Amino acid sequence: MVSSNHELLQQDLHPPLSRHEATVESDRCYFCYDAPCVTACPTGIDIPLFIRQISTDNVSGSARTIFNENILGGMCARVCPTETLCEQACVRNTAEDNPVRIGELQRYSTDHLMETGQQPFTPAASTGRKVAVVGAGPAGLACAHRLALYGHAVDILEARPKPGGLDEYGIAAYKTVDDFAQREVSYILSIGGIDVLHGKALGEDFTMDELKRDYDAVFLGMGLGAVNQLGIEGEELDGVDDAIDFIEELRQADDLSTLEVGAATIVIGGGMTAIDAAVQNKMLGCEEVTLAYRRGVEFMNASPFEQDLAKVNGVVVRNWLQPLRVIGENGRVSGVEFARTAVEDGRFGVTGETLILPCDRVLKAIGQKFDDSINSASGEATVVFEKGRIVVDADRRTSDEKVWAGGDCVVGGEDLTVAAVQDGKLAAESIHSMLAKG
Ligand SMILES: Cc1cc2nc3c(=O)[nH]c(=O)nc-3n(C[C@H](O)[C@H](O)[C@H](O)COP(=O)(O)OP(=O)(O)OC[C@H]3O[C@@H](n4cnc5c(N)ncnc54)[C@H](O)[C@@H]3O)c2cc1C
Ligand code: SF4
């Protein structure tokens, strides 16, 4: 077995910029009129303005510009796939193929203000209205913060022992080191007026009817609680685990050396979770990590940057392999049989050829789904679901006039932290307008 590389799990993927680097980088911005980077940011941060504020050494002002649109701007600076969002749109790509490093500048700025401990916003006087937010993930936190800003009292009801949602339990360790997720939650809550009640699960500890009775409005931000299964023989064998459970165990471990590391792991999937699980497995010391995806590279949800990250870390990426069955010995996984796939005459299918890859661990990363048990918890609330997710309008209001929803649990979401933040923010604005009408 190769030795572990635990220190890589504690190292920032993109180390913070120094003041000199930030100044030089901010000077590369053209401060475009109708800047395409702003349109490409789901939260609509005024990117040229915050970059100009950095270049004039008004770093606190720059952080305020960011937090005004995205109170989780510090986390998003670390985890946003900027290469497919703001930085892809940057006009600097055209001539130089080298965008302004917007994400790193955002981190420089937000880290600065958070280190001072100053909360940039002062809440309005109390309105006497109270809103329930279900889930302390990015969507719930963003919604709660904006509501608190308007003077509404907020209770966040959270099933788990820690706040942060997937920022705490799911994001790769090397993207959010130094317990940043918890520091950020404390920073957000420092605005005041928000109570987080842990161990309170919708559907178990309270119902939608109770929420609607006890609060003036309800926001649902409970993410996707269940995971997709492969649905093949051998899935129940020891050593076949869900990638999200593996990442959670790693993120919550006090001592990484106590974690189970096999000699050969196969990760099944082609998205961000698959890459995160594969790379972290390699860093934990697994000798051979293979990422198997059923279609070609161009169909993978993971961006080219993430695919490169996997390769640089020694993960073998194999395309055109669809799992047929998990093979075991004495109750434990010993390999996976795959069908080779191809696209012929524009149609995707199996070729008839199969192969077996030996392994002692399988991590499944084929997507999450809404936890159906919540449906029964909707009680008398008339929240409409489609394809297993909550239907909302442009204001993130559900079909129940007292209930809003956002983040991964709604139809049409992008399943990104930044998109969840935007949903929470828009829902809070809409709730505030409704409450202001009396
Ligand atoms: C492994 C992994 C890696 C990812 N990496 C990235 C990344 O690098 N960059 C990026 O932008 N996005 C990433 N994402 C996606 C991103 O984490 C999500 O889009 C984002 O967290 C969604 O926020 P949310 O608030 O909707 O849901 P969540 O973050 O899932 O939060 C939902 C919260 O609701 C709580 N909850 C659930 N059910 C109940 C209930 N019944 N009652 C009360 N509380 C409940 C949960 O405990 C949780 O705290 C990743 C996702 C995964 C799975
Ligand atoms: S597109 Fe690039 S150069 Fe133009 S404002 Fe945005 S960051 Fe600056």
Side-chain angles (χ1 to χ4, degrees), residues 56-167:
T56 55
D57 217 18
N58 177 10
V59 188
S60 297
S62 133
R64 201 191 150 95
T65 302
I66 295 161
F67 287 137
N68 207 28
E69 297 302 337
N70 182 347
I71 194 64
L72 276 87
M75 181 60 79
C76 289
R78 288 161 168 79
V79 306
C80 262
T82 48
E83 66 279 4
T84 59
L85 297 170
C86 54
E87 291 179 17
Q88 187 179 55
C90 178
V91 298
R92 278 269 184 189
N93 280 307
T94 317
E96 301 165 44
D97 200 21
N98 191 11
V100 175
R101 286 147 71 189
I102 301 168
E104 288 171 72
L105 286 172
Q106 178 162 317
R107 174 169 174 180
Y108 172 77
S109 165
T110 50
D111 277 5
H112 165 83
L113 193 59
M114 284 176 71
E115 272 158 26
T116 68
Q118 289 166 27
Q119 165 70 232
F121 304 105
T122 310
S126 169
T127 61
R129 313 303 286 272
K130 200 159 186 178
V131 181
V133 167
V134 182
L141 288 167
C143 183
H145 185 273
R146 184 62 59 123
L147 288 165
L149 182 64
Y150 286 128
H152 308 303
V154 183
D155 279 348
I156 302 186
L157 304 132
E158 167 57 53
R160 311 192 77 153
K162 284 188 190 175
L166 287 168
D167 285 355

Side-chain angles (χ1 to χ4, degrees), residues 388-424:
R389 299 204 195 189
I390 301 169
V391 176
V392 288
D393 67 12
D395 293 330
R396 308 319 189 248
R397 198 174 198 166
T398 72
S399 43
D400 185 313
E401 61 170 18
K402 224 178 163 184
V403 183
W404 282 253
D408 288 359
C409 67
V410 302
V411 185
E414 285 178 85
D415 294 357
L416 289 175
T417 301
V418 67
V421 172
Q422 177 69 353
D423 283 353

Side-chain angles (χ1 to χ4, degrees), residues 325-354:
R325 68 186 172 107
V326 184
I327 304 163
E329 273 172 27
N330 304 322
R332 181 156 187 107
V333 58
S334 61
V336 180
E337 182 175 9
F338 289 95
R340 283 198 195 276
T341 57
V343 174
E344 275 170 28
D345 300 327
R347 296 183 61 165
F348 171 78
V350 293
T351 62
E353 201 186 326
T354 62

